[in-house]
Amino acid sequence: GTGPASKSVQFTHHPQQEVIMDSPAPSDVTALPIPGPLPTAPDWRWWLRRLLVCNPFFLVSAALLLFAINRLSLDPAFLGGEEPKLFFNFGTLQVYGGLLALTAALLSRRQIWYDSSLLVVMEHGLVLVPFILIGQAALIGQGLAAALITAGAVAVALRAWVISRWFPSFNLPNRALLLGAGTLVLNVIVPLWFRSVVDQQSVHDWVGPNRWLWLLGLPGVAAAANLLPRPARFDGPNPESPWLPLLIYAFWFVGTGVHAASVGYLGTGSSLTLPLATPALVAAAWTVLNRLGDFLPQPSLLARRVAMGAIALVPVLAWREPSLLLATASFNFMGFGLLAFRGRAELKRHAAVLAAVSAGLALLGLPPEWITSFQPDWSRVEFALALLGLFTLVASGFSRHPGIGLAAGVIVFVGWQQWTGGRDAWQLGLATVLAHSLRWQSDLQGTAGLRWTAAGLWLLATYADATSGNWNSEAQSLGLLALAAMSWLLARSAAAKVVALVGSIGLAVVPGRWLIGHLSAGTWALLASFVLFGIGAWFAWHRRQPGEQPARSVPAATD
């Protein structure tokens, strides 16, 4: 029938029989999930396919090329002299670079984007390697160096033309090419500059120029990456990846650093040290923070905080050279200070903390004679520990956790013990805990007990201190009373009552001990009489009248 009450007929075929059944209307059908095959662990074939998709053969090929050049350069039987080896190495690298560019162009014509993009990235990663050999050529002869520079520049220009002509979809804007040309010019100038210093003076006079190259030249190269254009979109195919220009520029930066290090080794005879590379690494770290948007459309707050933390730690690499530690940490202090005032709201507090850390590291970079003038028997390690303790104390003022208060008390105890030989260390440490307890979270279990314990121990230390006639406890008592009064006026907290009580008792300890030793029993009895009278009057005033009900709080009306 065709009416709404009619039923549809469904034929289900089974391997052994054919069943004809009536099924309800489509609106009443309940779909049951069909169980699928159970997942299996990937075997070695799956991993092999994944590996081949990434095409590791290109990367292994480049690594073997560099290894072969290194071994052949050290082989005394290969080509005989130094100059033929230099020509062979330089020519091999240029031929291999041209092979990468041509293969990438051919693969791009077939729209094989991953492999063609990988080859272009590899070509840019190796583009500065031949120029490392020019420093060696400059020692052999200025004409040889000029010839290799000219040949290398022409080869780089031809490869760039091939890629731009036959692989136009690769994400390398004109501004990046201009920055690459500037980096190439710097790599050309360095060996020529080195040769002129060698001709006019001696090889060992390259120490000064090499230092300026690492203090200004390499940081400038790292900072220039911020001139790259920002990515316009993130949904393009492989050759349009937004992070490609920054990745390629990173290869240029690393290649320039390797070139500068090799020329420095030829001139000074010593390898590159971490302190000398610290300014360039600081500039690179700030660049990464500024360009996080090249990798992520919307960088998370955690990613930004991790990048900022890494920046703050980089100056530690210059620990062995205090002047560079002072310079790099001071630069970070100014950068984080600017972010604390003008940066994003959710990062201001984090930037302020890192500015304080940078300030502490800058103080560690002060000249040693300044530290010894402050404390003659202190080393830089002891000065660092003192600054760390001071920073912890300042930071504890922004925390409400009892554990931070205990840590601050321990730091005061250890620091004061080292400073004065142990005098009043326990008392000052416990006073710090009591002062910090005015900010503790009242909902944490055990907070009140911990406060009363610290108060009792402080009173015992105060009593022991009063036996020696030291009036330091009076100053601490006055300080605790002042803090308690301020806390009561601002928050009306119960902790303020405890600290005020302890401060009042501590204020009376020293005069009380004097009175105990100088007043007679009759005088004490008279004073006790008046004190007990006052206590009795207080209790009488607060006693409830017969039939009086305790006050109850009335809940506020709600809409």
Side-chain angles (χ1 to χ4, degrees):
T2 60
S6 64
K7 297 182 179 179
S8 62
V9 180
Q10 180 180 0
F11 297 91
T12 305
H13 295 276
H14 292 275
Q16 297 179 353
Q17 61 181 350
E18 182 177 281
V19 179
I20 301 177
M21 64 180 68
D22 290 341
S23 63
S27 59
D28 299 332
V29 174
T30 301
L32 297 177
I34 301 176
L38 296 176
T40 58
D43 57 2
W44 65 272
R45 298 182 183 86
W46 183 87
W47 288 108
L48 181 61
R49 287 194 297 269
R50 295 284 297 176
L51 181 64
L52 293 179
V53 166
C54 300
N55 202 345
F57 303 105
F58 290 143
L59 299 176
V60 176
S61 171
L64 288 177
L65 174 73
L66 297 177
F67 176 76
I69 290 177
N70 176 263
R71 302 310 299 174
L72 292 175
S73 300
L74 300 176
D75 187 1
F78 181 72
L79 297 180
E82 183 179 6
E83 189 170 341
K85 291 181 181 179
L86 183 63
F87 276 113
F88 174 80
N89 295 338
F90 187 85
T92 302
L93 288 170
Q94 296 296 349
V95 169
Y96 191 80
L99 182 64
L100 292 175
L102 289 174
T103 307
L106 292 175
L107 292 177
S108 68
R109 305 298 292 178
R110 299 189 59 187
Q111 298 184 354
I112 305 176
W113 302 125
Y114 175 82
D115 298 87
S116 57
S117 301
L118 176 62
L119 290 176
V120 175
V121 171
M122 289 175 55
E123 191 274 331
H124 283 283
L126 298 174
V127 68
L128 295 179
V129 176
F131 290 87
I132 299 176
L133 304 172
I134 297 177
Q136 182 183 359
L139 289 177
I140 299 176
Q142 192 169 1
L144 178 61
L148 293 183
I149 288 173
T150 303
V154 171
V156 170
L158 286 176
R159 294 199 297 268
W161 179 82
V162 168
I163 293 174
S164 62
R165 176 68 176 81
W166 300 103
F167 195 2
S169 60
F170 188 79
N171 185 15
L172 196 62
N174 294 331
R175 196 183 306 175
L177 294 176
L178 290 176
L179 292 175
T183 307
L184 183 63
V185 170
L186 177 63
N187 283 269
V188 169
I189 291 175
V190 168
L192 297 179
W193 186 14
F194 174 67
R195 178 65 191 187
S196 65
V197 171
V198 171
D199 290 340
Q200 297 176 8
Q201 303 174 32
S202 65
V203 175
H204 300 290
D205 290 316
W206 180 249
V207 175
N210 179 68
R211 188 174 181 85
W212 283 112
L213 179 62
W214 280 99
L215 295 183
L216 294 179
L218 269 298
V221 173
N226 294 288
L227 300 177
L228 291 170
R230 300 281 182 175
R233 61 193 184 97
F234 288 83
D235 56 348
N238 213 41
E240 297 181 11
S241 299
W243 41 264
L244 275 177
L246 194 61
L247 175 64
I248 291 175
Y249 193 88
F251 283 130
W252 297 341
F253 169 70
V254 173
T256 305
V258 174
H259 188 193
S262 64
V263 175
Y265 180 78
L266 293 174
T268 63
S270 59
S271 302
L272 176 67
T273 60
L274 278 178
L276 196 58
T278 302
L281 295 178
V282 168
W286 278 103
T287 300
V288 170
L289 175 64
N290 185 42
R291 304 299 299 232
L292 279 179
D294 289 26
F295 303 95
L296 303 170
Q298 295 180 348
S300 64
L301 187 62
L302 177 61
R304 294 186 184 275
R305 287 180 173 178
V306 170
M308 292 168 65
I311 294 172
L313 294 178
V314 171
V316 179
L317 300 176
W319 175 264
R320 296 184 180 274
E321 194 164 342
S323 59
L324 289 179
L325 176 61
L326 175 62
T328 52
S330 299
F331 181 83
N332 282 350
F333 172 74
M334 292 185 291
F336 288 127
L338 185 62
L339 289 179
F341 282 100
R342 303 292 299 274
R344 300 175 58 173
E346 61 271 19
L347 293 175
K348 286 186 176 182
R349 184 174 181 179
H350 190 64
V353 172
L354 294 180
V357 173
S358 300
L361 290 176
L363 291 177
L364 292 179
L366 293 176
E369 55 270 16
W370 290 19
I371 298 177
T372 54
S373 63
F374 178 72
Q375 188 71 12
D377 57 344
W378 272 12
S379 64
R380 289 181 65 207
V381 176
E382 292 172 327
F383 188 57
L385 293 176
L387 287 178
L388 180 60
L390 180 61
F391 172 75
T392 306
L393 288 179
V394 174
S396 66
F398 298 93
S399 175
R400 300 187 61 193
H401 197 278
I404 302 299
L406 291 177
V410 172
I411 290 173
V412 170
F413 167 75
V414 174
W416 193 257
Q417 193 174 43
Q418 294 293 325
W419 186 279
T420 63
R423 183 180 179 183
D424 305 329
W426 280 106
Q427 194 179 7
L428 283 173
L430 292 168
T432 303
V433 176
L434 282 175
H436 193 272
S437 70
L438 294 171
R439 285 182 48 83
W440 288 356
Q441 298 176 7
S442 59
D443 56 343
L444 293 179
Q445 186 177 5
T447 300
L450 183 59
R451 184 183 295 111
W452 279 110
T453 302
L457 293 175
W458 183 81
L459 287 176
L460 289 177
T462 301
Y463 180 80
D465 182 66
T467 59
S468 61
N470 186 9
W471 288 80
N472 178 48
S473 59
E474 302 296 304
Q476 293 185 35
S477 301
L478 289 174
L480 291 177
L481 284 172
L483 291 175
M486 187 181 304
S487 177
W488 175 255
L489 291 175
L490 294 176
R492 304 279 178 175
S493 63
K497 298 180 180 180
V498 177
V499 175
L501 176 62
V502 172
S504 301
I505 297 175
L507 195 63
V509 166
V510 174
R513 283 193 59 84
W514 183 87
L515 290 174
I516 290 174
H518 291 80
L519 295 182
S520 63
T523 307
W524 275 110
L526 181 63
L527 292 176
S529 173
F530 283 101
V531 170
L532 291 176
F533 180 83
I535 296 175
W538 185 87
F539 272 104
W541 181 265
H542 290 83
R543 190 188 302 275
R544 289 200 304 267
Q545 297 293 331
E548 180 183 355
Q549 297 295 327
R552 295 181 180 179
S553 59
V554 179
T558 57
D559 294 336

